[in-house]
Amino acid sequence: MTDVDGTARDLLPGHPDPRSDTVDLRRVGAHPDHWYPVALSRSVKRRRVIATAFAGERIALYRGNSGAVHALEDRCAHRQVPLSMGVVEGEALRCCYHAWAYRGDGRISQIPYLSKGDGRPPRGVRSYPVREAYGLVFAFPGDPGKAASTPLPDLPAFGSPRYRTMTYSRTVRCHYSFMHENLLDMNHQFLHRGVVGRLHPELLGFRSDERSVEARYLFTHAGGKRSRSAGLLAREGIGGGDSRDVMTIRTEYPYQTLDLVPEHADAPAFRLWAAYVPEDAEQRRCRVYGLLMIEKPRIPAALLVAWPFVRHFTERVFAEDRRAVEAEQRAWDEQGEDRNHEVFPLILRVRDVLRANGVPLATPRGAPCPGPATCDGPPHASCSRSPAPDTAADGEPG
């Protein structure tokens, strides 16, 4: 990993950013070859089905009688009615319309009225590799052959007797990259002045490689009104006292983490893990999944009492961040391009990492395709490079 000194580049008025010829990051999609959380485990109840999505791909999640969760393309191969409207029977999912039944691998297991001599039915629908961990359901929307060799995120603090975890799941109307920038760039603390008072973040340095960027900040409190919950969260550190705190934030594609260590402490007071999962095909809306692991105090009951106040504090901070990043997205939508004039080297670097590890956004369905000679995005329904759908069946559904 290479250390970066973080020296700002001079940009004179009228002089364009030398990186202005790079690909607009807001037109780069999240790479599908990773495990992405798509639901809270508790939301997928036994013998129930729910609808979720990744980058415009609608997914039906259901939990069979065995307790196992399955993920199928959210459409019936017959009339394209969403399977998330269906009924779970054993380990199968039955469409609500004509009762076609699907196994967890997406193959059709039964068509109730199929007779000999009828046309051969389609094979089924796409299934997604799925795993459960940390109270979340993860799906692998990319190449299924890579799922087994791609690890889930490693969260040693989750489930540790030293920490208690608070879980978040919220939709934010912005490109996922705005969320990475927001958390990594702690120079925006003025936004939270009504909650944490006047905080002074000092960038101690950052380092990066092809897939990650890690920054370390020193936080000092410079006065102003501050929420008591901030002190409860960080053991009277950030926002709750006069001590100084070291915050380490890391984007390791496609996830992000944050650790806060109060002065003189030997372990983080809290650890945050977050994933930003694009929901729509244009990836201008993402679902934020967050796990906030808070160290338990000497008297465990104290955290139980403080829990509602800590949640209120974190929800308020998140709401302020959401307003800011959604405003950034609106500006991009209005201008039709990224007109950011960023000067902070740390953010320029994380943009490079997100570009390098993402994929070009596909042409929206129904839009004219530029053709195989110029189209560099993944194949889509209207693209001449898309293979014909496989409608042949290996055999009659049983």
Side-chain angles (χ1 to χ4, degrees):
M1 185 171 288
T2 303
D3 289 331
V4 180
D5 61 9
T7 302
R9 293 176 295 108
D10 292 331
L11 294 179
L12 301 178
H15 287 238
D17 188 323
R19 301 186 183 211
S20 60
D21 60 345
T22 59
V23 174
D24 188 337
L25 175 58
R26 320 312 171 186
R27 300 185 189 276
V28 175
H31 202 298
D33 287 342
H34 296 276
W35 290 100
Y36 288 92
V38 291
L40 303 179
S41 286
R42 64 174 178 263
S43 299
V44 190
K45 302 185 185 303
R46 196 180 297 264
R47 295 184 293 278
R48 292 290 184 271
V49 56
I50 67 169
T52 185
F54 175 86
E57 296 181 20
R58 293 187 295 113
I59 301 172
L61 288 179
Y62 73 95
R63 192 183 296 277
N65 283 345
S66 69
V69 176
H70 308 281
L72 301 182
E73 183 181 359
D74 194 7
R75 66 170 187 88
C76 180
H78 180 213
R79 296 287 190 90
Q80 312 301 302
V81 172
L83 290 175
S84 57
M85 296 169 60
V87 177
V88 178
E89 296 181 354
E91 297 303 308
L93 178 59
R94 191 178 293 277
C95 178
C96 71
Y97 196 12
H98 289 82
W100 287 29
Y102 296 83
R103 302 186 184 97
D105 62 2
R107 295 295 186 93
I108 297 171
S109 62
Q110 185 191 34
I111 300 175
Y113 53 86
L114 187 66
S115 301
K116 290 183 178 180
D118 289 345
R120 296 187 69 185
R123 177 175 291 138
V125 297
R126 179 182 178 183
S127 66
Y128 297 84
V130 63
R131 295 176 65 180
E132 286 192 86
Y134 315 122
L136 302 172
V137 177
F138 288 80
F140 196 88
D143 180 354
K146 297 180 180 179
S149 60
T150 303
L152 287 170
D154 182 25
L155 304 179
F158 185 93
S160 165
R162 186 167 186 166
Y163 292 89
R164 184 182 178 190
T165 300
M166 187 177 291
T167 302
Y168 295 89
S169 176
R170 299 284 186 276
T171 293
V172 182
R173 296 184 179 278
C174 73
H175 189 265
Y176 64 89
S177 61
F178 286 117
M179 298 301 297
H180 279 273
E181 294 176 17
N182 171 265
L183 188 62
L184 199 59
D185 186 355
M186 281 291 148
N187 294 309
H188 76 273
Q189 293 309 306
F190 184 75
L191 177 68
H192 305 305
R193 61 195 179 279
V195 185
V196 296
R198 295 195 302 273
L199 286 177
H200 174 65
E202 176 188 349
L203 180 64
L204 301 177
F206 69 92
R207 54 184 184 172
S208 68
D209 57 27
E210 292 80 4
R211 299 186 60 82
S212 68
V213 180
E214 181 179 285
R216 294 178 69 249
Y217 291 89
L218 179 67
F219 272 87
T220 54
H221 192 270
K225 183 180 178 181
R226 56 186 182 265
S227 167
R228 175 61 178 163
S229 297
L232 294 172
L233 182 61
R235 296 187 303 206
E236 294 300 322
I238 188 168
D242 297 325
S243 67
R244 303 192 303 172
D245 310 293
V246 174
M247 184 177 288
T248 302
I249 310 166
R250 181 179 179 85
T251 287
E252 184 162 6
Y253 195 90
Y255 314 119
Q256 201 163 37
T257 60
L258 181 154
D259 289 352
L260 184 134
V261 180
E263 190 173 27
H264 307 308
D266 59 356
F270 68 83
R271 314 188 77 171
L272 172 68
W273 175 88
Y276 315 117
V277 185
E279 293 185 321
D280 59 316
E282 294 183 330
Q283 302 198 20
R284 298 184 190 179
R285 185 180 72 248
C286 64
R287 188 75 177 179
V288 177
Y289 291 90
L291 301 174
L292 181 62
M293 293 154 277
I294 305 170
E295 188 179 35
K296 297 175 182 177
R298 293 189 185 92
I299 303 175
L303 185 57
L304 292 176
V305 173
W307 201 252
F309 302 99
V310 173
R311 178 172 282 278
H312 175 75
F313 164 75
T314 54
E315 292 280 7
R316 183 175 173 185
V317 171
F318 181 81
E320 292 175 346
D321 284 330
R322 177 163 55 186
R323 284 196 293 271
V325 295
E326 289 183 346
E328 288 187 285
Q329 181 64 63
R330 285 195 300 273
W332 190 97
D333 293 340
E334 293 164 359
Q335 296 163 356
E337 62 181 357
D338 196 341
R339 297 186 186 177
N340 273 302
H341 294 281
E342 185 56 66
V343 297
F344 194 26
L346 170 62
I347 298 306
L348 294 174
R349 181 60 190 133
V350 77
R351 289 180 179 179
D352 288 343
V353 169
L354 295 175
R355 283 191 193 95
N357 289 280
V359 294
L361 283 176
T363 304
R365 291 181 182 273
C369 179
T374 57
C375 181
D376 59 355
H380 54 90
S382 60
C383 182
S384 60
R385 297 180 299 126
S386 296
D390 184 359
T391 57
D394 289 340
E396 299 296 331

